[in-house]
Amino acid sequence: MKGFILRHFQIEQRKTSIKTELLCGLLNFFAIMYIIVVNPALFEHAGMNFGGVFLATIVATAIGCFYMGMIANYPIVIAPGIGINAYVVFTVVVSMGHSWQDALGACFVAASIFLVLSMTSFREQLISSIPECLKIGITAGIGLFVTFIGLKNGGFVVADPSTFVTMGNLTDPGTALTAIGVLLCLILTILNVPAALLIGMIIIAIIAGIIGLLPLPSQLVSLPTGIDTTIGGLEFDQIHEMLPVVMVILLVTMFDTTGTMIGVAKQAKLMKGGVFPNLRSALMADAFASFWGTLLGTGPCSSFAESSAGVMAGARTGLAAVTTGLLFITLIFLSPLAQAIAAVPAITSPVLIIAGIQMFGEISTLDWNDKPTLFPSVLACIVMPLTYSITNGVAMGMISYVAISIAAGRRKDIHPLLYLFTIWFLLEFLKIIQ
């Protein structure tokens, strides 16, 4: 067994050890474990059963990690993405009024296309058709969107008839605890504490229990219930109306997860001459996990930046990812405890807020002196939270980029596919106007 592990994962060639990889896999597990609470809590807003999404989250994460580890041999964790799933829940279901079954149907179609494209070089071409400035603006905009959702769920931001939004009541115990949780998670993150978000959640959960906001369930350990209500529950009745949603899910998932993978690979010094070895297998991992995840009852999967926790500790092979996947399976029996924690927004909201802030940090990489690329990027960024729609942000970013580039005499900077996306989004806007 040891010989197989050494050979398959190229342990000696990558100058690491089995012990190091196992420990780093454990570290990544703790860094990302919060997803088993946050992701099902998101989908509860769409009317889905917590237990079903809980199980789907665990299984989809395990599938993604196993594929990434065994086939691609990279120490990168794959799990349901917070940003894209917040879009699925709060824009597609809550705002647009689609059922969660139709929303998952759109996710499945996007994942299927994603999987097919990942087998070819067209995925890279599709990603390269989106200018870097728009990728930055869209990622930052999703960050603002997720942060806004976290602030809203935690009671920090509330509706106001005059100003649309205003500050919540900080004397409310739940809102005050959200504020404390945000500060705590920020401090832990800035201090580079391993598994900062998970530790923050645990501390806030303890405080919530002490002040009576978190009543513990009578049964702490059991298998999740309601699985039959989510597995295979996706529908395709409205798919013809949801093509823009499919497009957004596909594009955002593709360049978001690709950027994270490349960033983690660079950090692990696994890039060779600027080239990502075995890239196609790595890209298949998130596509494969998304495909099965949507069938099981959760949204699209993505590579997680938290993988850098293990990389910083020495992870260099897929053994770390496999270890993380195996550890996730052991969480299946914690459904009652996870559901009790998820029922307290003050515990989960800080994670959404901090995750959103980290995504928004991408905006710092913009070229602030190049106005033709700056304005479309910032427009895409601010339209998302203000219209409560990632679709609108992507559309406005692409349309304005093409229009400004043409006006500035930069037609050569516009990829032919971008013209097609722009025309399509314009037609969709015209449908809305009519």
Side-chain angles (χ1 to χ4, degrees), residues 85-98 145 149 245 384 387-392:
N85 286 328
Y87 163 70
V88 171
V89 171
F90 291 100
T91 297
V92 180
V93 177
V94 176
S95 181
M96 298 173 67
H98 293 290
F145 182 66
I149 289 170
V245 171
M384 288 184 192
T387 65
Y388 218 64
S389 171
I390 292 175
T391 305
N392 291 340

Side-chain angles (χ1 to χ4, degrees), residues 3 57-58 67 71 101 131 163 181 183-184 191 193 220 225 227 252 279 301 323 338 340 345 350 370 395 418 421:
T57 300
I58 290 174
Y67 195 103
I71 308 299
Q101 292 91 339
T163 61
L183 289 175
L184 177 62
L191 294 177
V193 175
L220 291 178
T225 58
I227 299 170
V252 171
L279 175 61
C301 296
T323 302
D370 186 20
L418 203 58
F421 295 148

Side-chain angles (χ1 to χ4, degrees), residues 264-272 311 316:
V264 174
K266 284 181 179 177
Q267 191 176 34
K269 297 180 179 179
L270 296 173
M271 302 281 285
K272 297 180 180 179
V311 167
R316 295 295 180 269

Side-chain angles (χ1 to χ4, degrees), residues 305-316:
E306 282 85 348
S307 304
S308 60
V311 167
M312 290 174 65
R316 295 295 180 269

Side-chain angles (χ1 to χ4, degrees), residues 100-165:
W100 66 260
Q101 292 91 339
D102 285 326
L104 283 189
C107 291
F108 178 78
V109 172
S112 300
I113 298 172
F114 193 16
L115 191 60
V116 172
L117 291 180
S118 296
M119 298 176 185
T120 70
S121 61
F122 188 70
R123 173 173 173 171
E124 291 94 311
Q125 295 176 32
L126 193 59
I127 293 170
S128 65
S129 72
I130 311 298
E132 191 63 27
C133 67
L134 285 186
K135 292 177 185 175
I136 294 169
I138 291 169
T139 300
I142 294 172
L144 282 181
F145 182 66
V146 172
T147 297
F148 182 72
I149 289 170
L151 291 169
K152 175 178 172 290
N153 289 352
F156 213 83
V157 169
V158 295
D160 183 271
S162 301
T163 61
F164 296 107
V165 292

Side-chain angles (χ1 to χ4, degrees), residues 238-266:
Q238 305 297 318
I239 197 65
H240 60 286
E241 297 178 7
M242 302 179 70
L243 291 180
V245 171
V246 173
M247 170 70 77
V248 169
I249 293 172
L250 181 62
L251 290 178
V252 171
T253 307
M254 279 199 299
F255 64 71
D256 176 51
T257 194
T258 303
T260 302
M261 282 184 189
I262 292 174
V264 174
K266 284 181 179 177

